[in-house]
Amino acid sequence: MSYDGVYSEKVMDHFMNPRNVGEIEDASGVGTVGNAKCGDIMRIYLDIDDNGVIQDCKFKTFGCGAAVATSSMATEMVKGKTVQEALQVTNKAVMEALDGLPQVKIHCSLLAEEAIHAALWDYAEKNGITIEGLKKPKHDIND
Ligand code: FES
């Protein structure tokens, strides 16, 4: 894996053709987080069915190219997963799926992970359930 400052082809592909951009009306969970380092913002929408399976996931961002690419990949990765499985989609897993990110851009990949967690938190709160292993997101700016 290369972290030497050049973007992988997969990063460029997801940046140029981001998947799942948009919003979901009446989403099961919505998470909005800000990146403490650069001030960029990410919002993730989750559509979760009665069995706790993520049927759809969309994102919107005021973020850089790396944030767009990681969110695009992250939304692809959580679709079809249970909420429990979605917790395993860490920023590290997303970066690996993208063949790496330059060192200075690693913090950008945290936006997607944190926004997914914030959306899952919102879903859990709305439904009065606890998702094991999920902590209240640090940079949640929903409220
Ligand atoms: Fe802000 Fe990348 S520089 S998310």
Side-chain angles (χ1 to χ4, degrees):
M1 196 183 292
S2 155
Y3 290 113
D4 58 4
V6 290
Y7 289 112
S8 73
E9 274 179 32
K10 282 189 190 163
V11 172
M12 287 311 293
D13 176 33
H14 278 265
F15 170 57
M16 304 295 277
N17 310 292
R19 283 48 149 195
N20 310 311
V21 174
E23 46 188 287
I24 297 174
E25 257 182 67
D26 301 323
S28 317
V30 181
T32 310
V33 297
N35 188 310
K37 287 203 177 169
C38 63
D40 289 346
I41 290 172
M42 176 74 60
R43 178 170 294 161
I44 295 257
Y45 301 82
L46 294 174
D47 177 19
I48 301 171
D49 71 15
D50 293 343
N51 298 317
V53 176
I54 298 171
Q55 294 295 339
D56 200 7
C57 179
K58 297 236 188 289
F59 78 96
K60 275 184 161 179
T61 188
F62 281 110
C64 70
V68 170
T70 48
S71 307
S72 169
M73 180 58 96
T75 51
E76 286 286 90
M77 288 169 79
V78 298
K79 265 203 243 178
K81 289 197 164 61
T82 64
V83 294
Q84 250 342 303
E85 290 166 345
L87 284 183
Q88 310 306 317
V89 180
T90 58
N91 76 310
K92 198 163 165 275
V94 171
M95 285 196 296
E96 276 172 16
L98 285 168
D99 295 335
L101 272 182
Q103 193 77 34
V104 295
K105 287 287 172 185
I106 291 176
H107 75 274
C108 313
S109 66
L110 281 168
L111 264 183
E113 179 189 306
E114 288 185 353
I116 288 171
H117 287 185
L120 288 170
W121 185 269
D122 182 42
Y123 161 75
E125 274 195 329
K126 277 181 181 154
N127 290 279
I129 56 171
T130 307
I131 299 173
E132 205 181 317
L134 178 66
K135 296 195 193 80
K136 186 163 171 56
K138 269 182 288 184
H139 304 118
D140 194 342
I141 51 175
N142 263 349
D143 17 64

